[in-house]
Amino acid sequence: MSQPAESTKAILKSYAGRYVTLGDEAFEALWSALEHRTVARKEYLLEPGQVCKSQYFVLEGCFRSYYLDQKGNEQVMHFAIEHWWMTDYDSLSNQKPSELYIQALEPAVVLEVELDVLSGLFDRFPMLERLFRIIAEKTFVAAQKRLQHMLSLRREEMLDTFEEGTLAFSDRVPQYMIASYLGFTPEFLSMIRARRRKSGN
Amino acid sequence: MSQPAESTKAILKSYAGRYVTLGDEAFEALWSALEHRTVARKEYLLEPGQVCKSQYFVLEGCFRSYYLDQKGNEQVMHFAIEHWWMTDYDSLSNQKPSELYIQALEPAVVLEVELDVLSGLFDRFPMLERLFRIIAEKTFVAAQKRLQHMLSLRREEMLDTFEEGTLAFSDRVPQYMIASYLGFTPEFLSMIRARRRKSGN
């Protein structure tokens, strides 16, 4: 399950290198601050009421975040797979109780870094703060696109756009969670899928 | 229309002080980098096809960003009023043509900082990069909340939540833009408003 540390290190180095140029000292400091953690299928990294204290970099596996709406239904907010970060920014930044569950959908491995440890790293290595500024901006842009799709696309187009963007993982996630993410009922998603199978698309 | 520079400076200092502790040198460098710009009502700071090159801090006035959907209808993405930042992060960060209009709804004054100037400041003053990391995270949290409202609230609840969050400016914005922001038709918004006036709410 777990990868050897050296290959994990190369993954993280290559990830960071896409956005910033980290000196060896900054990279080693980040590496040392990360806790390697295995997560069982269905295990939670965060539950409502807890104050989120970490950011998680997914090495293996697939996660979702969700909340329970007023009727007690699960509403999926995000998915995360290999080499994506996962956290609850609202709870983390404001140190207030979360409304979200963050749950592994498969046996998983994450690198965890705690808020206070990361803040200490930002003081010592501004380039790490730059990396996390860029990550926050990219996370916002993704949310903005999703808003745009919800406001402007017909529902079948939303499904197409989701599938194009998630070729890497949409078959790893139960259909009812994809329906929830898109704001569909599971029945509506099944109906589109069935219609497409019939017409050969 | 324009405020005296000293009071503007105090506004910016107080704004930044809510998130970070800026030394005098860092603050003065930021101040010197900002261009004071007046914007006429209906004037655009950004139009589709242009590559966004700046972030804008609103000193006076009210802005909206919007795009034209597939049918050519205006879809409002964001509003911004005094002491909010406005930009198109996707176009700015990726230096690609924007799909958005950013337009003043009232005669306005902004402080503009260009991307390359800001990047230079980040190199010299890491605390400024921290400020903009925090701004990006807060911007994401706001987008996330809006997604959550669209996914889980009934439409009347969306209107209530919008009005609670925008007491400061909802009467400065035409109703059809508020309808668009919420994903309503203008007719639907008028209908709710008329019903509420009748019932005295």
Side-chain angles (χ1 to χ4, degrees):
Chain A
M1 180 81 230
S2 279
Q3 294 157 312
E6 276 313 311
S7 98
T8 303
K9 216 166 160 172
I11 287 167
L12 188 71
K13 198 156 200 165
S14 143
Y15 171 85
R18 284 158 54 192
Y19 306 115
V20 292
T21 307
L22 285 185
D24 285 346
E25 203 191 343
F27 180 76
E28 290 299 328
L30 175 62
W31 176 251
S32 310
L34 291 163
E35 197 185 325
H36 204 269
R37 180 169 162 188
T38 58
V39 189
R41 180 166 174 270
K42 297 198 174 179
E43 188 180 331
Y44 293 101
L45 293 177
L46 182 70
E47 293 184 62
Q50 294 174 347
V51 175
C52 183
K53 64 176 182 32
S54 297
Q55 299 206 38
Y56 304 93
F57 181 78
V58 182
L59 282 175
E60 290 177 39
C62 182
F63 289 82
R64 66 164 171 161
S65 67
Y66 69 95
Y67 60 91
L68 298 181
D69 69 15
Q70 292 163 323
K71 292 181 191 156
N73 297 319
E74 291 179 3
Q75 174 59 55
V76 173
M77 279 306 285
H78 299 287
F79 296 110
I81 58 161
E82 287 81 8
H83 312 167
W84 294 17
W85 287 92
M86 192 81 169
T87 190
D88 175 357
Y89 271 114
D90 193 13
S91 172
L92 186 74
S93 313
N94 301 309
Q95 285 295 285
K96 67 179 198 188
S98 180
E99 296 171 10
L100 294 180
Y101 295 88
I102 298 181
Q103 184 188 38
L105 301 177
E106 303 169 349
V109 185
V110 295
L111 297 175
E112 172 172 3
V113 61
E114 292 192 6
L115 177 66
D116 53 350
V117 174
L118 195 57
S119 301
L121 287 178
F122 290 164
D123 288 336
R124 287 169 57 208
F125 303 104
M127 202 52 86
L128 289 176
E129 184 139 29
R130 176 161 306 173
L131 174 62
F132 282 82
R133 172 182 62 79
I134 294 169
I135 291 168
E137 289 176 2
K138 290 193 171 288
T139 306
F140 168 73
V141 169
Q144 163 119 328
K145 287 204 175 135
R146 187 164 162 214
L147 272 169
Q148 197 168 331
H149 296 157
M150 286 178 66
L151 286 163
S152 291
L153 296 186
R154 287 181 301 111
R155 292 194 289 180
E156 294 222 12
E157 291 170 327
M158 278 176 66
L159 179 61
D160 292 338
T161 306
F162 176 79
E163 288 180 338
E164 281 162 26
T166 57
L167 288 179
F169 75 88
S170 66
D171 56 350
R172 292 161 66 181
V173 175
Q175 291 299 304
Y176 81 90
M177 290 185 196
I178 292 176
S180 170
Y181 178 88
L182 293 170
F184 300 171
T185 62
E187 294 72 24
F188 181 79
L189 183 59
S190 302
M191 192 192 75
I192 301 182
R193 297 250 197 243
R195 199 160 62 201
R196 288 183 174 186
R197 270 194 303 274
K198 235 186 221 169
S199 70
N201 286 320
Chain B
M1 179 80 227
S2 278
Q3 294 157 311
E6 276 312 311
S7 100
T8 303
K9 217 165 159 175
I11 287 168
L12 188 71
K13 198 155 200 168
S14 141
Y15 171 85
R18 284 158 56 192
Y19 305 116
V20 292
T21 307
L22 284 186
D24 286 345
E25 203 190 344
F27 179 76
E28 290 299 329
L30 174 63
W31 176 251
S32 310
L34 291 164
E35 197 185 325
H36 203 268
R37 182 170 161 187
T38 58
V39 191
R41 178 165 176 268
K42 297 201 174 175
E43 189 181 331
Y44 292 101
L45 293 177
L46 182 70
E47 293 184 62
Q50 294 174 348
V51 175
C52 183
K53 64 176 182 33
S54 296
Q55 299 207 37
Y56 303 93
F57 182 78
V58 182
L59 282 175
E60 290 178 39
C62 181
F63 288 83
R64 66 163 173 164
S65 67
Y66 69 96
Y67 60 91
L68 297 181
D69 69 16
Q70 292 163 325
K71 292 181 192 154
N73 298 320
E74 292 178 2
Q75 174 59 55
V76 173
M77 280 306 285
H78 299 286
F79 297 109
I81 57 160
E82 287 81 7
H83 313 165
W84 294 17
W85 287 91
M86 191 81 171
T87 190
D88 176 357
Y89 270 114
D90 193 13
S91 172
L92 186 75
S93 313
N94 302 308
Q95 284 295 286
K96 67 178 199 188
S98 180
E99 296 171 10
L100 294 181
Y101 295 88
I102 297 181
Q103 185 188 35
L105 301 178
E106 303 168 349
V109 185
V110 296
L111 296 176
E112 173 172 3
V113 60
E114 292 192 7
L115 177 66
D116 53 349
V117 174
L118 196 57
S119 301
L121 286 179
F122 290 165
D123 288 337
R124 287 168 58 207
F125 303 104
M127 202 52 86
L128 288 177
E129 185 140 29
R130 176 161 307 172
L131 174 62
F132 281 82
R133 171 181 63 77
I134 292 168
I135 292 168
E137 289 176 2
K138 290 193 171 288
T139 307
F140 168 73
V141 168
Q144 162 120 327
K145 286 203 176 137
R146 187 163 162 213
L147 272 168
Q148 197 168 330
H149 296 158
M150 288 179 65
L151 286 163
S152 291
L153 296 187
R154 288 181 302 110
R155 292 193 289 178
E156 295 222 14
E157 291 170 326
M158 278 177 67
L159 179 60
D160 291 339
T161 306
F162 175 79
E163 288 181 338
E164 280 162 27
T166 58
L167 288 179
F169 75 89
S170 66
D171 56 350
R172 292 162 66 182
V173 175
Q175 292 298 306
Y176 81 91
M177 292 185 194
I178 293 176
S180 170
Y181 178 88
L182 293 170
F184 299 171
T185 61
E187 294 74 24
F188 182 78
L189 182 60
S190 303
M191 192 192 74
I192 299 182
R193 296 252 197 242
R195 199 159 62 201
R196 289 183 174 188
R197 269 194 303 274
K198 234 186 222 170
S199 71
N201 286 318

